[in-house]
Amino acid sequence: MITLRVNGQEQSFDGDPSLPLLWYLRDELGLTGSKYGCGEGLCGACTVHLDGQAVRSCTVLMSDAAGKSVVTIEGLDPRGNHPVQRAWRALGVPQCGFCQAGQIMQAAALLATKPNPTDEEINVAMDGNICRCGCYQRIQAAVRMAATGV
Amino acid sequence: MTQIIENVSRRGVLKGVVATGALILAVRALPSMAAGSGLPKYQTGAGAMPHGVVTDPHVFIAIDSAGLVTIVAARAEMGTGAARTSLPMILADELEADWSRVRIVQGEGNEEKYGNQDTDGSRSVRHWLWPMRECGAAMRMMLETAAAARWGVDVSEVEATNHEVVHRSSGRRLGYGALAADAMKLPVPAKETLRFKDPAAFRYIGTGSIPVVDLFDITTGRAMYGQDVRLPGMKYAVIARPPVLNGKLVSFDATEALKVPGVEKVIEVKGWKWPAKFQPLGGVAVIARNTGAAIKGRAALKIVWDDGEHAVYDSDKYREYLMETSRKPGKTVRNEGDIDAAMSKAARVIVGEYYIPHLAHATMEPPCATAVVTADRAEIWAPLQSPGGSREDIAKTLGLPPEKVVVNETLLGGGFGRKSKCDYAQEAALLSKALGGTPVKVIWTREDDLQHGYLHTVAYERIEAAVDQNNKVIGWRHRSVAPTIWSTFMPDPKYQQPLEQSMGLIDVPFDIPNIRCEVGEAPAHTRIGWYRSVYNIPHAFAVQSFVGELAAALGKDQKEMLLELIGPPRIVDPRKSVKELWNYGEPFDSYPIDTGRLARVVELVAEKAGWGRKLPPGHGLGIAVHRSFVSYVATVVEVAVDAKGNLSIPRVDTAIDCGFHVNPERITAQCEGGAVMGLSNAKNCAITFKNGRVQQTNYNTYPVVRISEAPKVTNVYIVPASIDVPPSGVGEPPVPPFAPALCNAIFAATGKRIRSLPIGNQLAT
Ligand code: FES
Ligand code: FES
């Protein structure tokens, strides 16, 4: 039996400890905000916070998440008003939107450790998050806006 | 079932979008359509689409007694904003509805009810601007009639404005909610009697102030994509498909797979022999309690395949074949003047050859679908670009009448043409049926997506220009060799068809007296499909790169060379010398090939980009223009190539003339995204085959562009147009000019000419 906290709630899992966290969140808990895009840690669509760090939940096994605290896009802010979410809306970042939960989780983790990143630091931090629709210019601008409150 | 996605009261207003690069040149259109004036002055191809258009307001609008206006979005929303925001916004504007009291529901797949739902070809706005206006105007007039009856006054004395009807002289008012029940009972006014709003009075159309309706849900993880569908008792499936097209399953051993915790069953899925349109490839399905278990179970399968004839497919060899074919005469598909005479009397002949590989859609959300199928009924939940057409396909496969098939449309995590093909939904349907009606969700992994897609064609393009002693181009011969999409639908005709030829080959708009376009034979060995901007990708890459080559060879400026070839403003009508010109489904008279508009976007983008400006060392500017989906787009790329040959893109400028524009903010977004996808197409992406198998597996070997490589800024300029100018495509047209503009820029920066995509390490020093 694996126990962990997800968005502040205690959860337990009696299935395969080698199951990637992503599928536990999506298929077992029904938290479908975190997306599958590659399953190999290459796209960032599945990004969640594990003890405050941005991780690719498709490459974190349930056994690695045991005893830890997971925050998903659903739990980032109780009203969906995290500064990153607000900036994303103010700038109309999303196109199809599928990558955006991962982008937002990545950006939120960046700003938690680096409240005022340079453009270069934003690029480095966000480089693991693919947006096939190509919203990158607005992602850059929105991270900056969330940081500076512009 | 109609999927309801609630958005009311969470609407923000877009704040900083203008600062991110949009520059709308339009002042408001002149009030050319005063109330009382009639329908558009032009025709579109909307009526010729399967099931045409529907203009009955009862189909698209419901108003409750509290005044909440519900508008049905019947087309697929894949990220352009057209389906769920722009079209409903047109209707709401014409209805004089207050957008904050409008909610959007997604219509199910049903073309008899909603008209054509096939969301590709960049045609949502151009086909639905007027039907949406008609619906809105009709319902507005019904509300006015209901109010006039309530007050016992003549309808000419009342006016609908911002969600209520006002009696002008007395100032009495009734909200839409109070009038809805009466209005709904009234006959729908005849089309000829409709009074449309004066464009100067539009509240939403043309303003770009309305965020996409799903914005809040997208940013909070609540938006419902196909991948997110969950049903009670649902099982998860992944499928091992034949690695080679038309490969057959010989045998499989599921022993190890069934030992994987969470795996419940392993069953065969029926496959169809190619060509088979959107039928599944077949294979072996692993059914599990969750997706992770299904993926792990599949990896443990032992399968023996019989590869069949397409195991010969080898991209290196095929490229050689295409090249050789391009050097021999092909089938002539456009012929003007006498190209042979022009070639023989030319002072110089300049030749360019270009190779553009297969590309994959790689939508961020890979294909996926959920189904519940019993003996006499089927229900599907899936991200489908053509929900109505898919319903018909699924019904046929299951042997059910379409009325017994319900297709619930979810949001699409990207489409780009891939999700026009519903093979994945058919797989889910077949699996649920095989499991006696158990709800099944089929998930495609990224590997599946790259290896079993409907790929963009692979093309070799050869252009020869005859130049006279005055450095004037007097002859143009363009041979294009590429497998055809038709090979997906019928025994392979092995030549590009008129629809494909019309995307940048036979519609070449140049002012050259002797033109011959030819296509060469190119058998297909994989499923060929349409991918954002389709055959415009290779054709425009070749033509616009070659213009750059001509400029260099003749010592002219790229932009001047381009304008010289485009020639004076006129209508180019290749139909004189072409058997069949496909004008993106539109009547040629409404949407001619207008070189004046083509040249104007070139001039506009050059001016805005500061064409000819001084650049730091290692930087270069490139330009390209292309008409596609009846829009005109010109792009200037500034590239920087460092000493090692790494390229970056400090700036892109794009000018688009897409006629009357409804949602400039989303047009800008499409142009920004189009530049990024154009860069992915050019830079590192290619699908290649060895022994009939795709060699790429995931984003590591199909490296689409990431944020650090993306253009730093893309400035977008939208050519102003009144409502009398027919609207035209937006989703696809920004893509084709990007790659040639980039390669022209690389040449300017380095003197190296890229003739083969992807660029890869060709610039490495
Ligand atoms: S799904 Fe986890 S990184 Fe792509
Ligand atoms: S918005 Fe579509 S993938 Fe990012």
Side-chain angles (χ1 to χ4, degrees):
Chain A
M1 180 74 78
I2 288 167
T3 59
L4 70 170
R5 279 180 90 78
V6 179
N7 296 335
Q9 289 196 354
E10 290 296 336
Q11 301 285 356
S12 56
F13 175 62
D14 62 356
D16 183 358
S18 72
L19 179 72
L21 173 64
L22 173 66
W23 302 117
Y24 173 69
L25 295 171
R26 289 183 51 82
D27 297 352
E28 304 280 340
L29 294 186
L31 293 170
T32 54
S34 310
K35 307 301 186 197
Y36 166 83
C38 73
E40 298 282 343
L42 299 165
C43 78
C46 63
T47 303
V48 300
H49 298 167
L50 186 68
D51 284 350
Q53 301 283 314
V55 296
R56 311 299 180 219
S57 64
C58 69
T59 61
V60 173
L61 305 185
M62 285 307 288
S63 51
D64 301 332
K68 299 202 171 147
S69 171
V70 177
V71 175
T72 70
I73 185 75
E74 289 91 342
L76 180 63
D77 181 89
R79 304 164 72 163
N81 273 334
H82 186 281
V84 171
Q85 291 170 313
R86 290 206 305 268
W88 245 246
R89 294 197 285 269
L91 294 182
V93 172
Q95 290 184 28
C96 83
F98 193 79
C99 71
Q100 300 296 346
Q103 306 275 4
I104 288 168
M105 295 306 284
Q106 185 69 33
L110 166 68
L111 295 181
T113 53
K114 256 193 201 107
N116 223 329
T118 63
D119 284 2
E120 185 50 33
E121 285 167 337
I122 294 173
N123 272 352
V124 169
M126 302 303 295
D127 218 31
N129 290 74
I130 292 174
C131 176
R132 182 61 163 148
C133 296
C135 306
Y136 295 128
Q137 176 175 334
R138 297 193 193 204
I139 289 170
Q140 257 278 351
V143 177
R144 233 176 294 132
M145 178 188 264
T148 56
V150 174
Chain B
M1 190 191 96
T2 302
Q3 186 198 345
I4 296 174
I5 305 177
E6 195 63 61
N7 295 287
V8 180
S9 84
R10 296 202 193 111
R11 304 274 165 70
V13 168
L14 289 175
K15 286 194 189 105
V17 173
V18 171
T20 71
L23 178 54
I24 317 302
L25 300 171
V27 196
R28 287 304 324 138
L30 294 172
S32 55
M33 290 286 299
S37 73
L39 289 154
K41 298 176 174 71
Y42 59 85
Q43 299 287 315
T44 74
M49 296 297 293
H51 300 103
V53 295
V54 167
T55 55
D56 179 354
H58 293 295
V59 171
F60 291 101
I61 310 168
I63 307 176
D64 74 10
S65 59
L68 181 67
V69 171
T70 300
I71 299 176
V72 177
R75 294 172 71 80
E77 183 55 72
M78 61 189 114
T80 65
R84 290 177 55 83
T85 302
S86 302
L87 297 187
M89 187 179 91
I90 295 165
L91 193 161
D93 205 330
E94 196 63 60
L95 176 60
E96 272 294 306
D98 171 0
W99 188 249
S100 70
R101 284 183 274 172
V102 170
R103 70 167 180 172
I104 308 303
V105 298
Q106 186 69 40
E108 73 286 5
N110 186 342
E111 294 198 346
E112 282 84 9
K113 185 170 166 192
Y114 298 118
N116 187 268
Q117 296 178 291
D118 180 6
T119 316
D120 58 27
S122 299
R123 57 190 160 220
S124 289
V125 168
R126 73 178 185 268
H127 282 181
W128 288 89
L129 168 64
W130 280 94
M132 288 290 105
R133 291 193 77 189
E134 285 177 43
C135 282
M139 184 57 76
R140 167 173 42 77
M141 289 167 68
M142 289 151 74
L143 288 159
E144 287 172 340
T145 304
R150 191 81 66 84
W151 293 320
V153 302
D154 191 83
V155 72
S156 64
E157 296 174 30
V158 309
E159 190 178 13
T161 176
N162 203 25
H163 236 82
E164 57 187 9
V165 181
V166 181
H167 183 228
R168 272 190 226 96
S169 56
S170 68
R172 278 177 291 179
R173 291 159 186 272
L174 279 169
Y176 281 6
L179 295 167
D182 288 357
M184 289 289 173
K185 286 184 213 131
L186 293 170
V188 175
K191 193 165 169 160
E192 318 73 63
T193 67
L194 293 177
R195 284 178 290 108
F196 294 99
K197 276 175 70 170
D198 183 330
F202 286 150
R203 295 171 188 277
Y204 312 119
I205 298 173
T207 66
S209 61
I210 302 290
V212 294
V213 298
D214 299 306
L215 189 56
F216 185 88
D217 288 348
I218 287 171
T219 56
T220 53
R222 291 173 213 192
M224 174 74 85
Y225 298 86
Q227 193 180 86
D228 304 332
V229 172
R230 290 168 58 78
L231 298 174
M234 185 175 81
K235 303 296 176 195
Y236 298 81
V238 297
I239 300 174
R241 299 175 187 81
V244 178
L245 185 66
N246 273 349
K248 279 204 258 328
L249 177 67
V250 176
S251 64
F252 67 93
D253 175 356
T255 319
E256 294 304 313
L258 287 165
K259 286 184 194 157
V260 172
V263 170
E264 297 178 359
K265 258 195 185 95
V266 176
I267 56 174
E268 190 178 336
V269 195
K270 183 177 169 189
W272 273 256
K273 191 169 157 55
W274 210 242
K277 196 186 174 190
F278 308 145
Q279 304 296 85
L281 293 168
V284 182
V286 177
I287 317 290
R289 127 178 194 176
N290 60 52
T291 316
I295 292 171
K296 202 167 167 189
R298 181 176 69 175
L301 284 174
K302 293 192 183 66
I303 306 181
V304 180
W305 303 102
D306 172 3
D307 286 343
E309 73 211 85
H310 293 300
V312 298
Y313 196 29
D314 176 305
S315 290
D316 292 338
K317 289 193 192 128
Y318 196 75
R319 179 189 172 131
E320 291 295 308
Y321 163 81
L322 292 177
M323 183 186 78
E324 283 161 23
T325 307
S326 80
R327 291 175 180 176
K328 295 182 290 214
K331 264 192 203 172
T332 297
V333 288
R334 178 175 172 187
N335 196 19
E336 274 161 37
D338 185 342
I339 188 66
D340 295 321
M343 287 292 169
S344 55
K345 74 168 185 230
R348 296 171 71 178
V349 173
I350 295 165
V351 183
E353 292 186 348
Y354 307 91
Y355 175 74
I356 303 92
H358 284 302
L359 297 167
H361 305 82
T363 53
M364 208 69 226
E365 174 195 46
C368 54
T370 304
V372 177
V373 178
T374 53
D376 58 355
R377 192 176 180 279
E379 186 158 5
I380 312 289
W381 293 259
L384 297 162
Q385 278 182 246
S386 184
S390 300
R391 179 188 186 216
E392 287 165 25
D393 288 334
I394 294 162
K396 218 161 143 196
T397 295
L398 294 174
L400 290 174
E403 313 82 76
K404 297 287 181 196
V405 178
V406 178
V407 170
N408 303 291
E409 174 77 345
T410 66
L411 287 174
L412 282 67
F416 313 128
R418 174 61 183 91
K419 290 172 184 166
S420 300
K421 296 99 173 168
C422 64
D423 55 335
Y424 49 98
Q426 307 215 43
E427 289 174 340
L430 290 170
L431 280 176
S432 176
K433 189 179 176 184
L435 295 172
T438 303
V440 178
K441 173 153 71 177
V442 170
I443 292 282
W444 283 46
T445 63
R446 178 62 58 201
E447 289 82 359
D448 299 337
D449 173 52
L450 294 178
Q451 303 197 331
H452 302 289
Y454 286 79
L455 297 177
H456 172 67
T457 194
V458 50
Y460 208 91
E461 309 277 330
R462 178 183 164 95
I463 307 180
E464 295 157 85
V467 180
D468 71 9
Q469 53 279 61
N470 302 320
N471 271 355
K472 208 165 152 29
V473 178
I474 54 166
W476 177 273
R477 176 159 56 208
H478 182 169
R479 282 197 199 118
S480 177
V481 193
T484 168
I485 290 168
W486 264 252
S487 61
T488 289
F489 295 93
M490 57 164 70
D492 190 355
K494 297 186 183 160
Y495 286 91
Q496 283 172 69
Q497 299 299 297
L499 180 144
E500 296 157 338
Q501 298 159 14
S502 304
M503 296 190 190
L505 175 65
I506 58 176
D507 54 333
V508 64
F510 291 160
D511 186 21
I512 301 173
N514 307 290
I515 295 182
R516 184 187 290 169
C517 303
E518 299 171 16
V519 290
E521 181 172 338
H525 293 290
T526 183
R527 305 200 291 185
I528 308 290
W530 47 101
Y531 163 69
R532 189 180 186 182
S533 84
V534 205
Y535 285 66
N536 289 295
I537 293 172
H539 297 151
F541 180 68
V543 169
Q544 295 294 313
S545 294
F546 190 66
V547 173
E549 300 222 42
L550 282 175
L554 304 179
K556 298 183 184 182
D557 172 75
Q558 281 179 55
K559 178 199 141 203
E560 293 311 319
M561 184 79 241
L562 190 51
L563 290 173
E564 180 186 320
L565 289 168
I566 292 170
R570 68 199 183 286
I571 302 301
V572 171
D573 189 350
R575 291 176 300 177
K576 299 188 296 249
S577 60
V578 156
K579 250 214 243 117
E580 192 186 333
L581 179 82
W582 184 69
N583 195 37
Y584 299 91
E586 306 306 329
F588 194 83
D589 291 348
S590 308
Y591 292 91
I593 300 172
D594 182 338
T595 59
R597 290 175 74 178
L598 197 65
R600 184 169 57 176
V601 287
V602 172
E603 298 280 16
L604 176 60
V605 79
E607 181 206 321
K608 296 294 178 185
W611 183 255
R613 75 185 129 97
K614 254 202 120 38
L615 296 169
H619 289 231
L621 289 182
I623 192 166
V625 68
H626 192 66
R627 173 188 182 269
S628 68
F629 304 88
V630 288
S631 282
Y632 305 82
V633 179
T635 293
V636 170
V637 173
E638 179 187 346
V639 77
V641 183
D642 71 15
K644 290 195 185 116
N646 299 313
L647 66 85
S648 58
I649 300 180
R651 174 171 167 183
V652 175
D653 294 87
T654 286
I656 179 167
D657 179 351
C658 54
F660 178 70
H661 43 272
V662 166
N663 196 346
E665 195 277 324
R666 286 294 93 182
I667 296 171
T668 302
Q670 285 303 297
C671 290
E672 293 166 2
V676 174
M677 191 167 267
L679 181 58
S680 282
N681 292 349
K683 199 177 173 194
N684 284 319
C685 288
I687 295 289
T688 57
F689 286 79
K690 217 46 231 170
N691 301 320
R693 290 157 164 78
V694 170
Q695 294 178 286
Q696 288 68 33
T697 54
N698 208 315
Y699 284 127
N700 49 352
T701 42
Y702 195 78
V704 301
V705 161
R706 294 175 183 274
I707 196 169
S708 61
E709 315 162 85
K712 228 178 163 42
V713 59
T714 297
N715 303 306
V716 180
Y717 314 96
I718 305 172
V719 173
S722 83
I723 197 150
D724 294 329
V725 184
S728 50
V730 169
E732 294 168 270
V735 174
F738 186 88
L742 169 64
C743 291
N744 287 335
I746 289 172
F747 181 81
T750 65
K752 283 187 194 159
R753 173 58 60 181
I754 301 290
R755 298 191 179 89
S756 176
L757 295 182
I759 297 164
N761 59 9
Q762 292 179 70
L763 298 173
T765 48

